[in-house]
Amino acid sequence: MPIQAVSAATVEKYGVGSCGPRGFYGTIDVHLQLEAELAEHFGTEAAIMYSYDVATIASIIPAFANRKDIIVVDEFCSYPVQSGCTVSRARVATFRHNDVADLERVIQKLEAEEKSKRKPLCRKLIVVEGIYANYGDMAPLDRIWQVKEKYKYRLMVDESHAFGVLGATGRGACEHFNLKPGQVEIIAASMSHAMGSVGGFCVGDRATVEHQRLSGSGYCFSASLPPYLASAGIHMLRQLRGSTGGSGGASGGQPEQLAKLAAKIKALRGELMKGVPGLKLYGGSLPSPLLHLHLAKPSGDGAADRAVLRAVADHMLSCSGVLVSVSCYSKLDTHVPPPSLLLHVTLGLGDKEIALAAAALRRAAKEVLKQ
Amino acid sequence: MSSEDYIAPPFFTIISALFILSVATLFGRIRDVFYFLLNPGKLKKQNEGYAPIRDPTEDFYMRRMYGRIVDCWNRPICSAPDAWVDVMERTRAEDTTGVEVASIVPTGGSRRCLNLSSYNYLGFAASDPYCTPRVQDTIQQLGVSSCSSRVHGGTTSAHTELEELVARFLGVEAALTYGMGFATNSSTIPALVGKGCLILSDALNHSSIVAGTRQSGAKVKVFRHNDAPHLDALLRQSIAEGQPRSHRPWKKIMVIVEGVYSMEGEACCLKEIVEVAKKYKAYIYLDEAHSIGALGRTGRGCCEHWGVDPNDIDIMMGTFTKSFGSCGGYVAGKRETVEYLRRHSPAHLYACSMAPGCVKQVTSALEVMMGLDGSDRGAKKVAQLHDNANYVRSRLLEMGMDVLGSWDSPVMPIMTYNAAKMVALSRICLERSLAMVIVGFPATPVLLTRARICISAAHTREDLDWALSVLDEVADLCLLRYRTQALYTNVEADLKDHVARHFGPALAAEATIAGLAAGSFDMTRARAALRAPAGAKKQGSTGGAKDNGEQVQHEQQPAAKRTRTVAVGEVAAKTPASVSVKLNGVTASVTPVANGYHKASANGTVGAHAKAFVKARAVVAAK
């Protein structure tokens, strides 16, 4: 049954909204079902759903850190992570992007300080993203995990862009780096990317998840996800799992759909790495479906650069019929990334489309950037 | 004044409530001591160099106290949250030891209960003959989700249609929609105010507002719940003192209130608060999460309820979760403000846009409310909701229960004061097929635990009579008839005031709670009588008395004209220019340094930030 039909049927039965937070009769059986299936897919004890993607990590972080605690976070993390850190009021330290040595340095400094002040043991958290939304590159989770184990920090990974893309069964960047379920304490992801629905979720052991049910503000104080979106999520998750032959770990090699997607990512990235005049692809040949193209020679003026990229995007749309977007950041971001041209690889793209997109981009870049 | 000021639990109730809490704590502690003495390994295993996830007190509360009554919350349902709902039965999982958080699992069975808990105020939650087919068509056409943010291709025709309709419904210039009500507050507030600004927040504001104010970095001061004089005093003092330490004038001052407070059922005294805010030239942010659709004769919320001009409110925020049976929220106001938010609000830039099906649900529900579907269903729904709410409120008060809240408000908390009574009430009611929400510590103070009823337009009078008969019995079982006289007298005075404002002073004399409960005084008839003479005027409201006529008038009146009809006569049309004067005016009126400071920083980023609120385009172009 197509996903639209599933959704329409759910709307008929449950209506659209759930009209209440999860605690107050807003928990509908499809929510429980989706949570159970997510936990099963990730091989964790439990899962919890949030009704909005940006609210997911922004409410999980404050649930696990308050004034007394420490958060170490990658400097290039996206806004939801930043806002979660602010709301938590914890002590926030940043480390250089994807620099594990710097992470270790920051942690050592913090540890020394804690020791000298003889502070009681507090909750410590490292927050990274599987695939960084603002750059499209991946966190070196294997090495970060070693640091985390060494210093007894908890690791939180935002898998929003990696879930359903990376790993043998599509569990995300953790699986890609051969981390077993449970090795990373808190995994959060958005359901609005690969899952084609709306909302977000978090998986972990039972204590972690149950704690959020009382402390996750976006969970407690917000109406739950409309049931039809939950059932759409279930439908997609089953498709993903069906194609991977269940959740039986990383045994059966790359399943069909994930392999197809990986091939497409490789094709487009390869195409663009051959060179686009005036633009450079961030991250090179990483298996990330999120492509950020920056100006090769940025003028230093964000607004002007953005206007140039906007012109490239407009040219691509009007002359070749290819829709790409230009990244757009709020003034609330503490670290504003350079403006970039944003491309997403999806399973729906064929070889022809990938070639078309690359050609369109080249043409647009040549014509716009030359002026 | 809030009705919470009039309640006082009897002395014996306080003693018994505290006694029960102490006994439960004591027993929990004893059990913990024995458990960890007998299982030393368990304690050690949890540590391992990591600090525990929960702090020990909280952990104890969760395991030994909350664990006992965990069945009263998170009850799953397996039907639409309509007037009647299927509540799934649950049982405790066997491995619950009290060392871990209790886990209860569904057994598979369910029980059909009367739904007094969902925020389904207008009855749009279930399948609706007008809305549902449109939603299904939209899902077919636009898909389940747009999978991208509003700025990156997540904006569909449905979104723009909804934003236009919301602005039209509210009578403001423009609106912006988000996919989640919580995120609407938590991402709009930091975009509007920042460091050097002052937020005056009502003591009982929702957690999403708290999250937003925390993110903003602004100084937050809390005024007593619904207390305009306190707000006045606080504002005067804050303006005189200026920013902490530097004593510079505040860049912006924003007063944040809610239309109806979700745990009190109380409508915000908007008129007084608007007057105070105007006096000191502060911005007003009104969160209408519970009042939009529920208050006011045509469901246009708190402004209509009090006869306040929506253009006097700088930022109107609300959600679609409640009355409109969908999800998401909106921010509406001046076009400049909304355009500015479009450029800088994180939820607009980064979050996946609202699902098209949810968008269509709101659009079609709004069409019904505005009579654009060609029927008078919308008007009937609001009238039915008010009748239901007022009837139940008067009956409960007559039964001697302590019920808080305002007339017309569909939310009514029944005070239990005692946590044990609250739990008993919830369990007994569920046994008798009544689904009700209970709220206790830490969401409320320890002694102000309560059960909460939400009335819907979908409830019939028979449903409610049945529910009231059940509650009548349960009140005896749980000893809930406190009969606080001060509360009753105050609520009756409120009723007279309410009737005088909405139906004219003539009717106010005969309006009593007893009369309302017995049916001898009927607001429906009063409304019908009011509707009959064509020239009848509704006090302080925006239009004539005829339902349909009023709606049409409301929509087509140009903004400038509307300001003239406001009861508070001194309103000038607020063009962006005059708003920026207002911005400087706050500071200018207090200290002579003000003008110099603003001029000096006008070219810097700080000045741009301050101006951004009113001159969005300048900043959009600059950044």
Side-chain angles (χ1 to χ4, degrees):
Chain A
M1 202 156 58
I3 195 157
Q4 280 98 335
V6 175
S7 306
T10 320
V11 170
E12 192 66 52
K13 184 179 173 199
Y14 292 103
V16 175
S18 60
C19 284
R22 288 290 296 267
F24 300 160
Y25 297 90
T27 305
I28 296 169
D29 50 359
V30 285
H31 293 140
L32 298 177
Q33 198 183 343
L34 179 54
E35 284 180 348
E37 294 200 11
L38 278 168
E40 203 184 318
H41 177 63
F42 275 88
T44 55
E45 285 176 20
I48 178 171
M49 270 166 63
Y50 288 81
S51 44
Y52 209 35
D53 46 4
V54 288
T56 309
I57 196 112
S59 0
I60 299 172
I61 295 176
F64 291 99
N66 60 27
R67 247 177 233 287
K68 297 173 214 146
D69 305 320
I70 296 175
I71 306 174
V72 182
V73 48
D74 191 289
E75 60 176 354
F76 284 4
C77 274
S78 57
Y79 180 78
V81 176
Q82 296 166 23
S83 78
C85 293
T86 319
V87 172
S88 74
R89 293 179 166 176
R91 190 159 166 212
V92 182
T94 53
F95 64 96
R96 274 209 300 280
H97 181 55
N98 276 350
D99 186 342
V100 182
D102 193 51
L103 168 68
E104 204 162 353
R105 183 189 62 81
V106 168
I107 289 178
Q108 273 168 354
K109 202 174 137 206
L110 284 171
E111 289 293 297
E113 237 171 81
E114 291 281 302
K115 216 171 234 173
S116 69
K117 286 189 183 162
R118 296 200 181 158
K119 284 198 178 157
L121 185 65
C122 64
R123 294 179 291 186
K124 301 160 189 168
L125 203 60
I126 300 175
V127 187
V128 293
E129 289 177 45
I131 289 178
Y132 285 91
N134 291 351
Y135 286 86
D137 57 345
M138 293 158 67
L141 282 173
D142 45 352
R143 283 182 293 143
I144 290 176
W145 187 79
Q146 282 163 0
V147 174
K148 155 220 157 345
E149 280 293 286
K150 191 170 159 196
Y151 295 96
K152 308 263 181 216
Y153 273 58
R154 289 193 174 90
L155 181 58
M156 183 187 287
V157 183
D158 184 349
E159 295 267 31
S160 295
H161 288 277
F163 170 60
V165 178
L166 296 181
T169 56
R171 276 185 214 146
C174 294
E175 195 184 22
H176 180 81
F177 286 104
N178 288 322
L179 294 174
K180 287 190 186 57
Q183 284 189 322
V184 174
E185 281 85 357
I186 303 155
I187 295 178
S190 156
M191 296 202 285
S192 55
H193 299 138
M195 270 174 89
S197 180
V198 171
F201 65 86
C202 171
V203 293
D205 60 13
R206 213 176 138 244
T208 319
V209 167
E210 290 300 321
H211 176 62
Q212 288 174 49
R213 291 194 200 276
L214 283 182
S215 309
S217 51
Y219 178 89
C220 298
F221 299 108
S222 155
S224 56
L225 191 69
Y228 88 86
L229 293 170
S231 71
I234 296 174
H235 187 78
M236 178 273 157
L237 193 61
R238 284 192 184 151
Q239 273 193 350
L240 177 71
R241 295 180 66 199
S243 73
T244 64
S247 61
S251 52
Q254 281 248 342
E256 203 186 329
Q257 280 194 351
L258 290 171
K260 257 191 207 160
L261 180 60
K264 287 183 206 301
I265 293 168
K266 208 172 158 193
L268 184 60
R269 281 191 173 259
E271 231 1 91
L272 296 184
M273 272 171 61
K274 283 180 201 159
V276 181
L279 292 173
K280 68 170 192 285
L281 175 66
Y282 195 89
S285 60
L286 287 170
S288 147
L290 184 63
L291 280 71
H292 280 269
L293 285 147
H294 296 142
L295 283 174
K297 288 184 204 123
S299 64
D301 176 6
D305 287 354
R306 210 173 162 265
V308 171
L309 290 171
R310 183 84 263 166
V312 175
D314 287 345
H315 184 280
M316 281 174 80
L317 183 63
S318 54
C319 297
S320 324
V322 178
L323 179 67
V324 296
S325 41
V326 178
S327 64
C328 191
Y329 301 102
S330 159
K331 73 172 165 67
L332 298 175
D333 265 290
T334 43
H335 166 94
V336 180
S340 59
L341 212 56
L342 209 55
L343 277 73
H344 298 88
V345 183
T346 67
L347 204 54
L349 296 176
D351 296 338
K352 226 174 33 193
E353 278 94 5
I354 288 175
L356 173 75
L361 180 59
R362 258 187 219 117
R363 197 177 133 204
K366 205 181 272 170
E367 286 182 19
V368 174
L369 295 175
K370 227 171 215 167
Q371 289 160 9
Chain B
M1 284 295 259
S2 90
S3 51
E4 215 168 73
D5 298 343
Y6 296 96
I7 48 166
F11 182 68
F12 179 73
T13 314
I14 298 176
I15 295 293
S16 70
L18 294 178
F19 176 74
I20 286 164
L21 285 176
S22 334
V23 170
T25 316
L26 191 68
F27 270 86
R29 291 280 179 210
I30 294 172
R31 289 180 72 182
D32 262 12
V33 167
F34 274 99
Y35 185 86
F36 290 122
L37 278 180
L38 297 175
N39 305 285
K42 198 90 180 177
L43 196 66
K44 227 176 184 180
K45 203 191 127 213
Q46 281 178 340
N47 282 330
E48 275 186 300
Y50 291 92
I53 287 177
R54 267 190 296 275
D55 83 28
T57 334
E58 204 185 318
D59 183 54
F60 172 78
Y61 176 81
M62 261 199 77
R63 289 182 291 110
R64 296 291 185 194
M65 316 275 273
Y66 176 71
R68 285 170 183 272
I69 53 173
V70 67
D71 59 302
C72 296
W73 289 276
N74 295 311
R75 286 179 183 149
I77 60 174
C78 54
S79 71
D82 202 13
W84 289 81
V85 66
D86 292 326
V87 180
M88 290 163 81
E89 284 164 353
R90 293 187 296 175
T91 175
R92 269 176 196 271
E94 277 171 27
D95 63 337
T96 308
T97 54
V99 180
E100 281 175 20
V101 181
S103 113
I104 43 177
V105 291
T107 53
S110 70
R111 175 189 281 274
R112 192 119 184 106
C113 294
L114 183 68
N115 189 357
L116 292 179
S117 53
S118 294
Y119 305 135
N120 176 23
Y121 301 140
L122 294 174
F124 281 113
S127 177
D128 184 274
Y130 183 80
C131 304
T132 308
R134 285 171 173 72
V135 172
Q136 286 167 333
D137 285 351
T138 307
I139 294 175
Q140 204 63 44
Q141 278 169 21
L142 299 174
V144 173
S145 157
S146 56
C147 295
S148 48
S149 73
R150 287 290 305 272
V151 287
H152 295 155
T155 304
T156 65
S157 54
H159 290 92
T160 43
E161 183 192 9
L162 173 63
E163 284 171 357
E164 274 161 25
L165 198 63
V166 168
R168 212 171 117 194
F169 180 69
L170 294 170
V172 294
E173 287 175 10
L176 173 64
T177 57
Y178 296 92
M180 182 199 198
F182 187 93
T184 310
N185 271 333
S186 69
S187 72
T188 303
I189 297 172
L192 292 177
V193 288
K195 275 213 166 60
C197 303
L198 173 69
I199 293 177
L200 285 148
S201 174
D202 189 286
L204 294 177
N205 271 350
H206 189 248
S207 155
S208 55
I209 296 178
V210 177
T213 52
R214 266 197 201 182
Q215 273 174 64
S216 69
K219 171 85 182 148
V220 185
K221 293 192 180 178
V222 175
F223 63 94
R224 276 199 297 273
H225 171 56
N226 241 353
D227 192 342
H230 187 221
L231 171 67
D232 188 310
L234 212 57
L235 258 172
R236 181 193 298 259
Q237 196 196 355
S238 312
I239 293 177
E241 284 175 0
Q243 292 184 32
R245 283 200 287 277
S246 68
H247 299 292
R248 280 181 178 167
W250 300 100
K251 284 182 197 152
K252 257 177 265 178
I253 299 181
M254 186 142 94
V255 177
I256 306 186
V257 289
E258 286 186 40
V260 165
Y261 292 87
S262 61
M263 288 301 163
E264 274 64 33
E266 210 161 30
C268 147
C269 53
L270 194 62
K271 224 169 189 166
E272 286 87 342
I273 286 177
V274 167
E275 265 169 38
V276 172
K278 266 190 184 168
K279 187 169 145 196
Y280 294 101
K281 300 187 165 38
Y283 293 104
I284 302 182
Y285 184 106
L286 174 65
D287 176 345
E288 295 221 76
H290 287 268
S291 53
I292 190 72
L295 284 191
R297 259 163 58 85
T298 56
R300 283 176 167 85
C302 207
C303 287
E304 195 185 19
H305 182 76
W306 293 111
V308 173
D309 180 22
N311 287 295
D312 280 352
I313 312 290
D314 299 285
I315 296 113
M316 309 259 281
M317 177 269 165
T319 64
F320 303 130
T321 321
K322 281 97 187 177
S323 303
F324 306 120
S326 178
C327 71
Y330 64 82
V331 182
K334 294 254 174 318
R335 193 169 295 283
E336 283 91 339
T337 317
V338 170
E339 289 303 323
Y340 167 73
L341 284 173
R342 268 185 220 284
R343 176 62 190 84
H344 283 296
S345 167
H348 187 75
L349 298 177
Y350 307 133
C352 175
S353 68
M354 196 171 160
C358 299
V359 173
K360 197 66 195 178
Q361 164 78 16
V362 186
T363 316
S364 42
L366 277 173
E367 278 167 5
V368 172
M369 292 307 297
M370 294 163 85
L372 298 178
D373 64 331
S375 75
D376 60 347
R377 274 175 67 213
K380 276 190 183 149
K381 270 176 186 286
V382 184
Q384 171 93 34
L385 174 67
H386 292 169
D387 277 349
N388 282 353
N390 292 336
Y391 175 67
V392 172
R393 188 179 293 280
S394 61
R395 283 283 304 272
L396 289 175
L397 282 162
E398 278 305 300
M399 278 181 208
M401 297 199 211
D402 284 1
V403 179
L404 304 185
S406 310
W407 295 97
D408 272 5
S409 150
V411 184
M412 44 195 92
I414 302 174
M415 302 305 294
T416 61
Y417 302 118
N418 183 331
K421 285 187 188 182
M422 158 186 95
V423 172
L425 177 68
S426 169
R427 287 180 181 158
I428 296 175
C429 282
L430 186 67
E431 235 167 61
R432 295 172 190 221
S433 300
L434 218 53
M436 235 160 48
V437 165
I438 57 171
V439 199
F441 184 77
T444 66
V446 176
L447 285 175
L448 293 180
T449 57
R450 60 196 69 177
R452 188 184 65 182
I453 289 179
C454 291
I455 299 299
S456 162
H459 291 135
T460 61
R461 196 44 80 87
E462 293 82 60
D463 290 342
L464 295 174
D465 275 330
W466 175 79
L468 286 163
S469 70
V470 173
L471 280 171
D472 202 16
E473 273 174 51
V474 178
D476 282 331
L477 288 172
C478 297
L479 307 172
L480 287 177
R481 299 185 205 269
Y482 294 104
R483 298 188 194 282
T484 309
Q485 198 50 49
L487 178 73
Y488 189 90
T489 330
N490 174 46
V491 175
E492 191 150 64
D494 264 2
L495 174 65
K496 287 195 192 297
D497 177 52
H498 177 82
V499 173
R501 269 188 305 110
H502 289 261
F503 306 102
L507 267 173
E510 45 180 298
T512 55
I513 298 176
L516 198 58
S520 61
F521 172 74
D522 195 340
M523 287 203 207
T524 323
R525 261 182 280 136
R527 191 175 291 125
L530 194 70
R531 206 172 292 163
K537 279 267 187 267
K538 214 181 111 191
Q539 274 199 337
S541 179
T542 42
K546 271 186 186 165
D547 270 349
N548 288 330
E550 185 180 32
Q551 278 164 16
V552 173
Q553 239 178 337
H554 200 289
E555 288 148 25
Q556 291 173 348
Q557 250 176 348
K561 218 176 188 178
R562 218 177 298 130
T563 44
R564 239 181 285 142
T565 57
V566 185
V568 193
E570 43 175 20
V571 198
K574 271 206 237 165
T575 59
S578 73
V579 179
S580 65
V581 168
K582 165 176 163 176
L583 188 80
N584 290 327
V586 180
T587 51
S589 62
V590 185
T591 137
V593 195
N595 279 327
Y597 170 62
H598 268 274
K599 264 179 206 157
S601 64
N603 296 327
T605 49
V606 181
H609 173 74
K611 289 271 158 59
F613 198 66
V614 282
K615 286 196 174 165
R617 281 193 199 106
V619 171
V620 174
K623 266 262 157 169

